[in-house]
Amino acid sequence: ITLGINQVGHIGGTGDVDLFKLVLGQPGNLTVESAGTTDLVGELLDSGGTTLASNDDAAGWYNFRIQHTVVAGTYYVRVKHCCAGGGSYSLATGLN
């Protein structure tokens, strides 16, 4: 995904997981946030696959918001349904 450009995703059903790669050229405070009516859980992973942060509903209703201080490097955002279901969503990222 490209920082600052919304990405559209779709969870096809129970067990489906979306994984997005995010390469950051500078350190800062990263925000990753979902929008839509699909009940999602988001996780921020480092380049080795270790979970740095996760969230369920901080962006309101069914949407997650992750805020984490990062250094330059490669990260991954893993998105899955919280329970059992699926649907479309959008993903926004920002760095300040």
Side-chain angles (χ1 to χ4, degrees), residues 58-71:
W61 201 32
Y62 289 143
N63 295 293
F64 69 85
R65 177 184 299 123
I66 295 171
Q67 294 177 301
H68 194 76
T69 301
V70 295
V71 297

Side-chain angles (χ1 to χ4, degrees), residues 3-84:
L3 190 66
I5 297 178
N6 287 1
Q7 174 73 42
V8 174
H10 183 83
I11 299 297
T14 303
D16 189 18
V17 175
D18 288 349
L19 187 66
F20 299 94
K21 182 178 181 180
L22 180 61
V23 179
L24 301 175
Q26 64 187 40
N29 295 313
L30 176 66
T31 300
V32 181
E33 183 174 292
S34 68
T37 58
T38 303
D39 197 352
L40 301 174
V41 174
E43 299 173 305
L44 178 65
L45 313 173
D46 67 13
S47 61
T50 300
T51 302
L52 302 174
S54 64
N55 184 260
D56 188 355
D57 293 330
W61 201 32
Y62 289 143
N63 295 293
F64 69 85
R65 177 184 299 123
I66 295 171
Q67 294 177 301
H68 194 76
T69 301
V70 295
V71 297
T74 300
Y75 296 88
Y76 296 91
V77 177
R78 182 167 45 205
V79 180
K80 58 188 175 184
H81 197 276
C82 84
C83 310

